[in-house]
């Protein structure tokens, strides 16, 4: 049994989601290798080789892999699958993009966003916006799996895997990268943050999100939002937490002006502690919140910031 | 340009799924079903392409039980030209769906497929990618906007860090994100008109697709319950609890 894990990285830095996916892969039993596909990835390969329990790291360096375009990744991953019984990648947008292509080419059914590994062929995954958990057993000869990284602990660093390079084997592609417009932020990444401060429709405007920024700064938190806040144009799309946005599971999730619709809860209800501030005491968010404050957020947020200052944050 | 839009009938997004006591699945008897919200967005985009004169014909296809016809009618009422219904009572996996859709796309000579990025019931998010790979087409997933640019399709995608623009050679497949557009409501006259639009009746066997499931569902259970906690009086009490009781700040 050999499992290939595909690294999450930005060509210079290896992301923590990789460590978590390695943990999921280890739970399947057998040898775990890591594929780092990108451009100018020397440092990422070196970092991946340090993850505990990894046998080998394969680096594939090619211009077309810089943005991990779906067609290019499909060719690279399928090309390696002769040597593997399973391939796992975190369920971030870039991997969600090409993993189904890999599965189709291998003629297997993908198992998406698993939150539990029971054995080499049996996995647990949320369905219906996390309102049900399905345990599924794959009868396919090879498993193609995307992993809800937040559901797994990160593998440690103390390993010394062997490293090698492989050829991309890419021909002409039918798609090309044009440009990117990324949200600039000094805050931690939403899916990896220990604390997330999230605002909803109740914030009223994008301007009012400043009230959350002060709190996020004090707690070293990432900023998130509900779909309503994104659709209203208060904040960028990539802040969205929920079934169709990002799934987070921080130590602390502070939901402000968020009612707690099914679709939003799907993305945050595995947080260790949930605190909610909402003026509607019947808001569904209070049914999952460990600490609820029924208050007008425009009054409560400045008070909260002041209290944090007082407490030394 | 012919545009194909696959749509799925799913449990309405406002309804909380209930797990059956025997753990065999989610109870779908006597609950409200609707078109998957992402598919509505895909239909809207196809209709807009037709209104702009870019699409010459728009075909809505659904694979599912007899009632999936209602979902096709919804697409027709929103303005699509005609439907294809591949009838099956089995709950097919994305791989089987993608194989059938490939056959439909080839039979119809589709140039562009627009579909939802995921169904809100099984949350696989895999059918579009699988279909594109089987057809050998490029994909623009989680599209925020699309534009035909000469012979190529420019797609702005929603990615983890923001937005990314890619250019795809046609024919191509696009999966719709929530912000691609705001779907219209079908007016009563359009709903009446849709009743006269043709729907082709097919079965998976017509396309020679083996639909044997690859995954065995061993059980479906309720997620671990999360209990409501306590209400605190004010911001000071909240900070105190988070710091001293929960220890998370």
């Amino acid at each position: 049994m050999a499992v290939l894990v595909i690294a999450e990285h930005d060509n210079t830095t290896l992301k923590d989601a990789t460590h978590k996916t390695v943990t999921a892969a280890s739970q399947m039993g057998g040898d775990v290798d890591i594929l780092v596909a990108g451009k100018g990835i020397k440092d990422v390969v070196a970092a991946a080789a340090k993850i505990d329990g990894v046998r080998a790291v394969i680096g594939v360096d090619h211009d077309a892999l810089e943005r991990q375009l779906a067609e290019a990744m499909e060719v690279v991953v399928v090309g390696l699958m002769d040597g593997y019984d399973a391939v796992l990648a975190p369920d971030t947008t870039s991997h969600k993009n090409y993993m189904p292509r890999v599965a189709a080419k291998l003629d297997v059914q993908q198992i998406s966003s698993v939150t539990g590994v029971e054995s080499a062929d049996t996995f647990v995954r949320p369905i219906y916006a996390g309102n049900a958990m399905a345990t599924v057993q794959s009868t396919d000869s090879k498993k193609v799996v995307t992993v809800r990284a937040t559901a797994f602990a990160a593998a440690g660093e103390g390993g010394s895997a062997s490293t090698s390079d492989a050829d991309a084997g890419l021909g002409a592609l039918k798609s090309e990268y044009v440009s990117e417009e990324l949200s600039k932020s000094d805050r931690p990444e939403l899916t990896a943050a220990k604390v997330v401060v999230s605002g909803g429709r109740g914030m009223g405007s994008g301007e009012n999100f400043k009230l959350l920024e002060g709190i996020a700064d004090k707690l070293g938190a990432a900023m998130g939002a509900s779909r309503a806040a994104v659709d209203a144009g208060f904040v960028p799309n990539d802040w969205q937490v929920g079934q169709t946005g990002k799934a987070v599971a921080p130590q602390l999730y502070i939901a402000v002006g968020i009612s707690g619709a099914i679709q939003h809860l799907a993305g945050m209800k595995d947080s260790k502690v949930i605190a909610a501030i909402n003026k509607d005491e019947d808001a569904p968010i209070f049914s999952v919140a460990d600490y609820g404050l029924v208050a007008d957020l425009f009054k409560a947020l400045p008070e909260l910031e002041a209290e944090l200052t007082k407490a030394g944050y | 340009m012919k545009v194909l839009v696959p749509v799925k009938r799913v449990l309405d997004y406002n309804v909380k799924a209930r797990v059956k006591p025997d753990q065999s699945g989610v109870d779908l008897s006597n609950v409200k079903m609707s078109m998957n919200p992402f598919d509505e967005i895909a239909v809207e985009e196809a209709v807009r392409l037709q209104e702009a004169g870019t699409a010459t014909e728009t075909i809505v296809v659904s694979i599912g039980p007899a009632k999936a016809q209602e979902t096709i009618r919804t697409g027709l009422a929103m303005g699509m030209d005609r439907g294809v219904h591949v009838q099956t009572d089995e709950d097919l996996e994305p791989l089987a769906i993608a194989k059938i859709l490939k056959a439909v796309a080839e039979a119809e000579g589709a140039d562009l497929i627009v579909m939802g990025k995921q169904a809100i019931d099984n949350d696989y998010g895999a059918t579009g990618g699988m279909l594109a790979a089987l057809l050998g087409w490029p994909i623009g997933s989680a599209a925020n906007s699309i534009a035909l640019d000469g012979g190529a399709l420019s797609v702005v995608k929603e990615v983890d860090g923001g937005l990314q623009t890619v250019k795809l050679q046609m024919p191509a497949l696009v999966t719709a994100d929530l912000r691609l557009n705001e779907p219209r409501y079908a007016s009563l006259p359009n709903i009446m008109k849709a009743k006269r639009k043709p729907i082709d009746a097919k079965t998976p066997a017509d396309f020679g697709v083996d639909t044997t499931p690859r995954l065995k569902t061993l059980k479906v259970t309720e997620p671990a319950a999360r209990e409501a906690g306590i209400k605190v009086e004010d911001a000071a009490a909240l900070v105190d609890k988070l710091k001293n009781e929960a220890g998370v700040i």
Side-chain angles (χ1 to χ4, degrees):
Chain A
M1 171 99 195
V3 184
L4 183 65
V5 166
I6 305 176
E8 168 77 359
H9 65 86
D10 58 7
N11 296 309
T12 51
T13 320
L14 182 70
K15 302 286 174 68
D16 191 48
T18 315
H19 300 68
K20 292 171 171 168
T21 308
V22 165
T23 300
S26 309
Q27 290 172 4
M28 294 174 69
D31 297 314
V32 178
D33 292 356
I34 295 181
L35 165 66
V36 180
K39 185 188 171 188
I41 46 167
K42 204 162 51 68
D43 294 346
V44 182
V45 169
K50 292 197 188 99
I51 300 179
D52 282 338
V54 174
R55 178 180 65 175
V57 179
I58 305 161
V60 181
D61 199 324
H62 192 284
D63 287 354
L65 296 171
E66 183 174 9
R67 312 286 167 171
Q68 302 197 322
L69 290 180
E71 279 185 283
M73 289 298 290
E74 172 198 323
V75 172
V76 171
V77 178
V78 170
L80 288 168
M81 284 309 289
D82 274 350
Y84 294 94
D85 304 291
V87 56
L88 271 64
D91 69 346
T92 60
T93 49
S94 67
H95 304 292
K96 277 183 188 169
N97 196 17
Y98 68 82
M99 286 291 270
R101 295 186 71 108
V102 171
K105 278 292 155 75
L106 297 172
D107 194 33
V108 308
Q109 175 55 48
Q110 171 174 300
I111 308 158
S112 308
S113 297
V114 306
T115 55
V117 176
E118 300 214 329
S119 69
D121 64 2
T122 305
F123 305 88
V124 182
R125 57 180 302 267
I127 53 175
Y128 289 89
N131 283 300
M133 304 301 291
T135 305
V136 295
Q137 183 175 31
S138 169
T139 58
D140 284 316
S141 58
K142 292 186 192 292
K143 324 297 180 208
V144 175
V145 183
T146 62
V147 174
R148 175 74 53 88
T150 54
F152 295 88
E157 290 191 352
S160 52
S162 67
T163 61
S164 63
D165 295 325
D167 188 55
L170 289 171
L173 297 171
K174 293 175 181 168
S175 58
E176 59 176 305
Y177 165 81
V178 178
S179 63
E180 216 159 43
E181 191 187 317
L182 300 181
S183 315
K184 296 242 182 329
S185 169
D186 296 332
R187 296 206 168 79
E189 247 177 82
L190 185 51
T191 51
K194 290 200 161 53
V195 180
V196 174
V197 179
S198 220
R201 194 198 305 274
M203 295 304 297
S205 74
E207 186 69 13
N208 291 335
F209 267 72
K210 287 215 172 73
L211 294 170
L212 296 182
E213 278 177 22
I215 291 161
D217 286 341
K218 288 200 183 308
L219 298 175
M223 303 267 289
S226 69
R227 180 187 165 187
V230 171
D231 282 352
F234 298 172
V235 294
N237 304 343
D238 55 297
W239 287 28
Q240 188 182 325
V241 171
Q243 182 185 22
T244 61
K246 293 193 176 79
V248 301
Q251 291 288 301
L252 172 62
Y253 187 89
I254 305 178
V256 183
I258 292 177
S259 65
I262 294 172
Q263 294 78 10
H264 185 74
L265 297 182
M268 47 65 83
K269 69 185 164 64
D270 294 324
S271 305
K272 182 164 178 264
V273 172
I274 297 172
I277 301 175
N278 203 304
K279 65 181 173 193
D280 173 12
E281 63 179 314
D282 297 322
I285 191 77
F286 287 124
S287 66
V288 298
D290 299 280
Y291 302 108
L293 174 57
V294 181
D296 180 353
L297 64 92
F298 295 104
K299 183 166 163 288
L301 288 176
E303 283 175 10
L304 181 58
E305 193 176 342
E307 289 296 333
L308 286 169
T309 309
K310 223 192 284 175
Y313 291 95
Chain B
M1 182 173 80
K2 274 195 190 183
V3 183
L4 184 73
V5 180
V7 298
K8 184 177 186 184
R9 183 173 181 269
V10 298
L11 179 68
D12 187 85
Y13 74 99
N14 275 316
V15 179
K16 187 170 185 292
R18 303 267 169 220
V19 173
K20 289 185 199 167
D22 68 359
Q23 301 192 340
S24 64
V26 163
D27 195 352
L28 294 179
S29 51
N30 304 315
V31 289
K32 188 181 176 206
M33 305 288 280
S34 312
M35 186 188 287
N36 181 43
F38 290 97
D39 304 350
E40 280 190 323
I41 293 167
V43 168
E44 175 67 31
E45 199 64 20
V47 173
R48 288 185 190 191
L49 287 170
Q50 190 153 35
E51 288 168 347
T54 311
T56 49
E57 188 176 27
T58 52
I59 306 152
V60 52
V61 51
S62 192
I63 302 166
K67 289 206 163 165
Q69 277 218 19
E70 294 168 11
T71 314
I72 294 173
R73 291 280 172 216
T74 304
L76 298 176
M78 286 172 73
M80 295 195 66
D81 293 327
R82 60 189 179 83
V84 177
H85 178 210
V86 184
Q87 188 164 342
T88 172
D89 287 327
E90 287 174 76
D91 185 19
L92 300 186
E93 291 170 351
L95 181 64
I97 299 278
K99 287 177 180 176
I100 295 170
L101 290 175
K102 172 182 189 268
V104 173
E106 285 171 345
E108 299 290 351
D111 306 290
L112 174 68
I113 298 175
V114 187
M115 58 195 290
K117 76 165 181 176
Q118 78 192 69
I120 60 164
D121 53 1
N122 61 33
D123 285 333
Y124 276 113
T127 310
M130 288 182 151
L131 177 56
L134 294 176
L135 286 164
W137 290 8
I139 185 168
S141 25
N144 178 287
S145 70
I146 64 172
L148 214 54
D149 178 5
L153 189 72
S154 175
V155 182
V156 180
K157 299 158 36 115
E158 295 196 8
V159 296
D160 281 337
L163 298 172
Q164 183 185 76
T165 307
V166 293
K167 201 179 230 183
L168 313 177
Q169 283 173 28
M170 297 291 280
L173 185 145
V174 171
T175 67
D177 212 317
L178 289 168
R179 280 161 287 273
L180 182 59
N181 60 48
E182 185 88 26
R184 69 194 65 189
Y185 287 101
S187 64
L188 188 60
N190 284 341
I191 292 169
M192 299 311 288
K193 228 191 286 175
K195 289 188 202 273
R196 293 191 302 273
K197 291 184 181 177
I199 298 179
D200 264 357
K202 300 279 186 190
T203 67
D206 292 338
F207 303 104
V209 173
D210 175 14
T211 58
T212 313
R214 307 297 185 82
L215 303 182
K216 270 193 277 188
T217 299
L218 303 181
K219 63 178 176 181
V220 174
T221 56
E222 297 270 358
R226 193 166 184 125
E227 300 294 323
I230 56 162
K231 295 261 170 75
V232 295
E233 278 305 308
D234 53 26
L238 182 59
V239 171
D240 175 61
K241 292 284 186 194
L242 293 177
K243 188 177 166 142
N244 300 319
E245 189 175 277
V248 289
I249 60 170

